Amino acid sequence: MTLADVAAVARGGVSVRLGEGARSRMQRSHAWVAAAAEGALRDEHGQELQVYGVNTGYGSLARVRIDQDRICELSWNLVRSHAAGVGPPMPGDAVRAMMLLRASALSRGSSGCRPALVDTLCGMLDAGVLPEVPSRGSCGSSGDLAPLAHLGLVLFRGPDPEEDVGVAWLDGERMSARQAMARVGLERLVPGPKEGLAMTNGAQLSCAVTALMLVDAEALVHAAEIAAAASWEALRGVTRALHPDVHRLRPYPGAIAVAGDLRKLMEGSSLNDSVPGKVQDAYSLRCTPQVLGACRDALTYAGRQVSIELNAVTDNPIILVDDPDENKAFSAGMFHGEPVGFAADHAKLALIELSALSERRIYRLTTGALSSRLPPLLVTDEGSLGRMMHQAAAAALVAANRQMAAPSSADTIPTCEDQEDHVAMSTTAARRSVDVLRNAQQVVAIELLCAASGLWCRQDRAAAEGRELTLGAGTAAALRAVEEALSGRGTGVPSEDIQRVQAIVDDGSLVAAVEAATGPLARVHHD
Amino acid sequence: MTEVVLDGQSLSTAQVAAVADGASVRLAPEAAERMRANAAVWARDGDPHLLRSKWSWLIGGDAPESHQALVTRFVVDHCAGVGEPLPVPQLRALMVVRANVLAAGMSGVRPVLVERLLWMLREGVHPVVPSHGAVGAAGSAALAHVARVALGLGGARLDQESVIVEPLVVNEKEALSLINGSSLTTALGALAVERGQALLRSAEAACALSMEVIRADRRCLDARAAAARRHPGIGYVAGRLRAFTEGSELVLEGNEPDAFCVRCAPTVLGAAHDALAWVTRTVEQELNAAGDNPLVFDDGIVEAGHFHGAPVALAVDTLKAALVQVGSIAERRVFRLTYGQLSGLPSFLVPGTGANSGLMLAQYTAASLVAEARGRAVPGSVDSIPTVQHHEDHVSMGPVAARTALEVVDLLADVVAIELLAGAQGLDFRLAGEAVVDGELVPVASKQAGSGSKAVYDEVRRHVERWLDDRVLHPDLAALGAAVRAGRFASLGPA
């Protein structure tokens, strides 16, 4: 499964089913857990084999043995007592991605649960049953317990079919789990041995949120390159900083990609390299390959980590059915959200810097003394304040991003009677990275708007003086897309203009229009 | 519904909160009189082409010719907010805060401006003000979105738009004064103060309940000891905790000395108390201050920098730090209450643990919320990014600080709710005379809590039932979280 697959299911409604090979793997491990639950397995002392979470309590309660007749009650109790989220609900795409990822983890056949769990998850995804999952309260270890338990309240039911405690959305309507599942013809499952644990023991919300963020971040990197190219031309930059031989000498893949994309976007521009005597630009232009390239590399790293997690077993204990040991349950720490938390925190840092660099170009574009003789504050419409407040808004957004820079995964608070004495805080890391991404999207939209003003100004001057002016292939396409979004050169209300340009950044239409003119920009995530 | 009277001199954070919740406002006649006199001074001594001068300072270019075009361009070009609209309470706070700045009578503007803002509050005319994009210095995007609607220049509204806003013609000074200040920071700061103070009072109630369950040593509340440390907050909090636990058979002098989360509670909550007292004073000063530029005095017009949001930005950053300490020490008490070996009660406070996980996850949730609040508590005011062509080269970032302060308060409300849940759950064992001895839950002597603590317990039990067998935890957390936010626990105990 790739990041793109996650987005296709979470947002595009692509249908999901369990492969036959996976089904038989799941059945084998389930058979072993069922045997353990029935007391049919013995340890090396000839005693009934204790398997964590099957016939023991959870967390520090692993010391407590659970009688056979209470094993299913144990599973249902876990789901109910772990549904401890608070705060506003998570957005639908994140919840769908979380469902998909949990289904994927279980389908590896190392969790000892029935294939029916995955079938039901797939059925819920197909039918559009969306569990209500509160956004706050998960530590990401031992997994996103509370968020997944809220999912479990919809997928599962207790021994009493009248008990109806989950909340779900269906076709925009909020209803009880029982109602939602009945309406689409899906049976809620009574959780069997270990199945409550198997449903909750992994950082799938962290991973889901991070995966979707990374898909959006790749699009934002492309938009940021397009904006940087437009600013570069508006500021009549020096392209020697982008020469491929220069970047071969310090060969970070991200920097090489940014330099290449910028050359491609600005191909044929008559504005660049046209200021006599200017040998180099300020950092916000000249160092774009190094800074945005470092952002790219960070996002690539994050994408690689998350891609491992997308296809990983995250559970405890893990059932290794082919192991020669009689006891095939291996307790380990496969649920811990640290790898995902790091990825989200590092991606967040990259997006903060992406926005910070963009804001400095906006400042340059709007500052008369710095803009290669563009009008101060980009006042093209006589009597207006130009793009004065756009830049202030970008500065505020960057400050808001920097305020969120502290890595969430650096924090940990011991939980569960000191048994779970180091936790990931990966869920918070993931959610913060999305907050940063949204702000960064707005900053890039503001840069596009300001760069467009600069380019209009250059065009108007050239026209007035009867000179030819050619924009780079990508920049020309970007300017057309911005003009289309604004129905001309703008509404005259800053916040409305920003909103309109942000819409084409967010929905991918800007990047699509530019790539149609230039060919594809370099990928951030490599499948 | 209460009514708030604005005089530019006595607005309190409580009144801002009341207006946020829907109270209507009117302008005191003497304030209107002062404003009229002050506006007359501006008419006599002020620069009638103030905005034109500002234009040339900012841009080096010309302003529009006609007066109305000038005012319109000025206001609309400042409307650069981005992101989700401010929720109605925050928006109403913003409007009343700006109205009071003008009512101070030092801006040289006519009462009609304030009357217009107050009319909008009364009629529920609520402009869409995007919540991001303000740096908290000088011309404010947030206020511009309000001014656009207030002057009848269009602009989106949150209400049904059934009420027509007639155009209001203003002079150049009035247009500037409507937007020239850090009122967004102050407004959000005032709400954070109100909610933060209530949170601290609720945290004291929760702490008292936990002390009963933990059978704290009452000596840590000793009045002489508290006075010896000299910080007034320590004495105040220790006094409140003594009052809550008065008459308790559980919190006694001479019990085993406690861990820091109990023994140092007066010190930590007391430090927060003192910090919030300073924050409250600072915000209330700002609420009644001339946060505008230029200022109009009887004997002259003064250009200064009173639009800069630094004072309140620093204060709300302090509020965040203070409350995070309150939350993080509360979480440690929840940890202790749910930790069998430390509490002498069943693990996770539920009988028959094993098949039951009890309040295990409530502590996880508290831990997660505290960690999230710590992240939000990073100060906003330490940042600054130069804006407007080197002119506005140091800004407060107060709106970032204040917005995250409200988020911190909201996150920690659930932490306090979780301590209340665990505290009541633990106290049930003490009241019933049950304790864990050698791993078994056995009968022991039943003990009474202090009458104040018992009142806290009773309030918890109005919202959630005792946990005997595992059930869905979320509804309990939601019910108590709502009760904490509604101030149901803040009002308990002595004032």
Side-chain angles (χ1 to χ4, degrees):
Chain A
M1 187 156 56
T2 65
L3 292 169
D5 294 335
V6 177
V9 173
R11 293 168 173 168
V14 166
S15 151
V16 194
R17 64 181 176 79
L18 179 62
E20 285 316 307
R23 183 180 302 279
S24 69
R25 273 198 310 276
M26 289 186 75
Q27 271 154 350
R28 287 180 61 208
S29 76
H30 168 61
W32 187 84
V33 165
E38 284 160 14
L41 304 180
R42 295 276 169 254
D43 65 14
E44 63 269 34
H45 311 294
Q47 303 291 311
E48 183 182 327
L49 184 68
Q50 294 290 294
V51 180
Y52 172 72
V54 174
N55 47 14
T56 76
Y58 301 115
S60 52
L61 300 177
R63 61 181 187 264
V64 182
R65 289 177 74 128
I66 304 296
D67 294 340
Q68 236 184 79
D69 57 346
R70 299 193 72 189
I71 282 176
C72 286
E73 181 192 340
L74 179 74
S75 274
W76 178 235
N77 274 356
L78 174 125
V79 174
R80 294 192 298 175
S81 69
H82 283 38
V86 292
M90 288 302 295
D93 58 352
V95 174
R96 286 179 60 83
M98 177 181 87
M99 293 161 73
L100 172 70
L101 297 188
R102 196 64 213 155
S104 167
L106 297 180
S107 73
R108 294 291 302 273
S110 300
S111 290
C113 66
R114 291 169 292 166
L117 266 68
V118 175
D119 290 333
T120 307
L121 280 169
C122 294
M124 289 166 71
L125 283 168
D126 279 357
V129 175
L130 190 69
E132 185 168 288
V133 176
S135 51
R136 296 175 185 161
S138 176
C139 295
S141 314
S142 54
D144 286 320
L145 295 170
L148 287 162
H150 280 273
L151 159 61
L153 289 181
V154 179
L155 175 101
F156 291 128
R157 68 169 175 83
D160 172 10
E162 297 301 312
E163 188 185 0
D164 188 13
V165 286
V167 178
W169 292 75
L170 183 63
D171 303 325
E173 201 187 324
R174 189 174 189 265
M175 61 188 76
S176 78
R178 184 184 182 188
Q179 240 182 326
M181 294 292 272
R183 202 176 282 189
V184 301
L186 286 170
E187 283 282 331
R188 290 180 297 154
L189 304 173
V190 177
K194 192 175 176 296
E195 287 184 340
L197 195 60
M199 185 51 65
T200 53
N201 228 344
Q204 268 70 38
L205 183 60
S206 309
C207 189
V209 172
T210 307
L212 293 174
M213 177 275 296
L214 288 171
V215 169
D216 292 340
E218 177 167 55
L220 183 60
V221 164
H222 290 153
E225 289 174 346
I226 292 165
S231 297
W232 199 296
E233 291 186 52
L235 293 166
R236 302 174 68 189
V238 180
T239 57
R240 293 173 75 85
L242 305 175
H243 195 284
D245 288 346
V246 168
H247 289 280
R248 268 195 277 277
L249 296 175
R250 198 186 184 205
Y252 290 106
I256 290 171
V258 172
D261 281 353
L262 290 179
R263 288 196 306 272
K264 187 186 271 190
L265 290 162
M266 300 193 289
E267 179 77 44
S269 170
S270 64
L271 283 166
N272 288 340
D273 309 308
S274 65
V275 180
K278 180 154 92 166
V279 294
Q280 61 180 29
D281 289 301
Y283 290 3
S284 62
L285 288 186
R286 179 160 38 111
C287 301
T288 299
Q290 287 74 19
V291 178
L292 195 50
C295 299
R296 264 183 174 273
D297 289 341
L299 293 169
T300 303
Y301 151 80
R304 214 166 40 232
Q305 292 294 92
V306 167
S307 296
I308 293 171
E309 184 83 353
L310 295 181
N311 297 290
V313 174
T314 57
D315 201 350
N316 186 57
I318 305 286
I319 313 300
L320 301 179
V321 276
D322 294 325
D323 193 89
D325 194 337
E326 173 80 2
N327 182 357
K328 303 197 186 302
F330 289 78
S331 269
M334 305 284 273
F335 43 73
H336 202 293
E338 199 83 351
V340 180
F342 270 25
D345 275 332
H346 202 36
K348 182 179 77 175
L349 179 61
L351 295 171
I352 292 169
E353 281 303 278
L354 180 152
S355 69
L357 187 70
S358 173
E359 186 282 328
R360 282 295 85 186
R361 287 190 298 262
I362 296 166
Y363 184 70
R364 218 162 179 83
L365 285 162
T366 52
T367 300
L370 304 176
S371 62
S372 294
R373 299 180 54 210
L374 288 171
L377 298 173
L378 290 168
V379 174
T380 48
D381 177 14
E382 194 63 30
S384 84
L385 290 172
R387 302 287 186 210
M388 175 171 83
M389 293 303 283
H390 299 67
Q391 185 261 328
L397 289 163
V398 170
N401 273 354
R402 292 210 279 239
Q403 196 278 332
M404 294 188 271
S408 302
S409 48
D411 205 349
T412 177
I413 296 176
T415 59
C416 203
E417 297 189 320
D418 274 330
Q419 172 76 359
E420 307 187 353
D421 54 357
H422 180 281
V423 300
M425 301 302 179
S426 53
T427 337
T428 312
R431 287 168 44 229
R432 277 303 80 77
S433 73
V434 174
D435 294 340
V436 165
L437 173 91
R438 298 283 169 249
N439 288 342
Q441 285 171 328
Q442 286 167 333
V443 175
V444 169
I446 292 171
E447 184 184 358
L448 276 162
L449 202 48
C450 291
S453 290
L455 293 171
W456 292 327
C457 187
R458 302 285 184 212
Q459 285 177 328
D460 293 350
R461 282 182 192 167
E465 294 164 11
R467 281 187 287 110
E468 281 287 309
L469 184 149
T470 315
L471 296 180
T475 300
L479 190 62
R480 276 195 302 276
V482 169
E483 286 165 350
E484 212 168 287
L486 295 175
S487 316
R489 289 187 176 185
T491 61
V493 183
S495 61
E496 286 176 34
D497 290 350
I498 296 168
Q499 218 170 24
R500 287 180 180 212
V501 176
Q502 198 203 332
I504 62 169
V505 171
D506 291 0
D507 71 11
S509 61
L510 169 80
V511 175
V514 170
E515 286 188 325
T518 61
L521 299 171
R523 298 298 309 269
V524 172
H525 305 304
H526 310 282
D527 297 342
Chain B
M1 183 70 70
T2 52
E3 189 187 51
V4 172
V5 180
L6 285 194
D7 60 9
Q9 296 175 348
S10 64
L11 185 63
S12 65
T13 54
Q15 287 176 315
V16 173
V19 175
D21 290 341
S24 65
V25 195
R26 65 185 172 81
L27 179 62
E30 62 275 18
E33 196 42 55
R34 258 198 326 271
M35 289 184 74
R36 266 189 288 277
N38 192 246
V41 175
W42 174 263
R44 187 188 70 207
D45 299 342
D47 173 6
H49 302 301
L50 180 70
L51 283 189
R52 286 181 199 285
S53 316
K54 189 172 166 67
W55 231 273
S56 115
W57 181 70
L58 286 170
I59 301 179
D62 289 333
E65 275 301 315
S66 87
H67 174 75
Q68 195 49 42
L70 172 75
V71 167
T72 304
R73 272 270 58 94
F74 178 74
V75 170
V76 172
D77 281 1
H78 275 82
C79 290
V82 292
E84 292 296 304
L86 284 182
V88 168
Q90 296 181 22
L91 168 72
R92 291 178 62 87
L94 171 67
M95 290 164 71
V96 73
V97 164
R98 193 65 197 161
N100 200 54
V101 167
L102 302 180
M106 282 181 276
S107 293
V109 305
R110 293 167 297 154
V112 65
L113 263 70
V114 173
E115 296 291 4
R116 174 57 61 98
L117 292 171
L118 303 189
W119 171 81
M120 289 165 68
L121 285 170
R122 247 186 336 266
E123 296 294 324
V125 174
H126 292 151
V128 170
V129 174
S131 50
H132 282 258
V135 292
S140 150
L143 286 172
H145 284 273
V146 173
R148 187 177 175 208
V149 171
L151 299 181
L153 302 174
R157 284 159 56 177
L158 295 164
D159 55 288
Q160 296 303 308
E161 311 206 1
S162 51
V163 178
I164 307 289
V165 182
E166 298 292 341
L168 175 64
V169 177
V170 295
N171 65 34
E172 296 190 22
K173 175 66 169 105
E174 289 169 334
L176 182 59
S177 284
L178 271 174
I179 72 165
N180 207 13
S182 53
S183 300
L184 179 61
T185 309
T186 316
L188 303 187
L191 296 180
V193 161
E194 277 301 297
R195 295 174 194 174
Q197 291 277 14
L199 185 72
L200 179 56
R201 297 289 87 82
S202 310
E204 289 159 356
C207 178
L209 198 51
S210 296
M211 290 178 82
E212 302 279 2
V213 180
I214 287 164
R215 293 178 298 191
D217 176 10
R218 197 173 166 80
R219 286 176 300 186
C220 72
L221 307 178
D222 187 281
R224 292 162 305 173
R229 190 75 187 277
R230 300 184 68 96
H231 300 288
I234 299 179
Y236 178 84
V237 172
R240 288 251 303 160
L241 292 173
R242 279 199 308 277
F244 274 116
T245 55
E246 185 68 47
S248 169
E249 297 170 358
L250 291 158
V251 180
L252 301 171
E253 290 194 7
N255 284 353
E256 286 282 303
D258 293 293
F260 290 3
C261 67
V262 171
R263 187 167 16 134
C264 303
T267 314
V268 174
L269 300 186
H273 177 84
D274 287 340
L276 287 199
W278 173 75
V279 171
T280 306
R281 207 162 54 237
T282 303
V283 171
E284 293 198 329
Q285 269 161 12
E286 182 74 18
L287 284 175
N288 298 289
D292 196 4
N293 186 64
L295 298 180
V296 180
F297 299 95
D298 287 346
D299 54 355
I301 313 274
V302 177
E303 285 267 356
H306 287 350
F307 41 68
H308 199 293
V312 178
L314 193 57
V316 289
D317 278 337
T318 304
L319 174 142
K320 292 197 292 189
L323 290 178
V324 166
Q325 288 207 34
V326 171
S328 76
I329 198 169
E331 185 283 328
R332 283 295 85 186
R333 287 189 298 266
V334 173
F335 182 72
R336 207 162 191 79
L337 290 172
T338 54
Y339 199 140
Q341 279 180 31
L342 302 178
S343 69
L345 295 173
S347 289
F348 311 112
L349 297 171
V350 65
T353 29
N356 280 327
S357 296
L359 300 188
M360 181 191 284
L361 262 281
Q363 186 257 326
Y364 289 52
T365 301
S368 170
L369 292 167
V370 167
E372 185 167 350
R374 278 180 189 152
R376 291 300 200 195
V378 171
S381 61
V382 294
D383 205 351
S384 176
I385 297 176
T387 59
V388 191
Q389 301 200 88
H390 304 126
H391 290 305
E392 305 184 353
D393 55 356
H394 182 278
V395 299
S396 77
M397 298 305 178
V400 176
R403 191 171 51 240
T404 47
L406 283 172
E407 289 165 356
V408 164
V409 176
D410 192 51
L411 287 161
L412 296 178
D414 287 315
V415 176
V416 172
I418 288 168
E419 184 178 3
L420 288 163
L421 178 71
Q425 182 69 16
L427 191 59
D428 275 316
F429 291 98
R430 303 293 184 211
L431 298 176
E434 294 171 327
V436 173
V437 178
D438 297 331
E440 295 293 325
L441 190 62
V442 295
V444 293
S446 152
K447 300 281 186 192
Q448 289 309 306
S451 56
S453 312
K454 182 64 169 43
V456 177
Y457 167 89
D458 290 340
E459 183 61 31
V460 174
R461 286 284 166 256
R462 269 182 211 110
H463 304 280
V464 299
E465 287 175 15
R466 187 181 181 188
W467 187 290
L468 292 169
D469 272 307
D470 272 0
R471 59 180 191 243
V472 182
L473 189 48
H474 172 77
D476 287 7
L477 300 184
L480 278 176
V484 168
R485 288 179 179 86
R488 298 294 292 267
F489 295 93
S491 53
L492 299 178

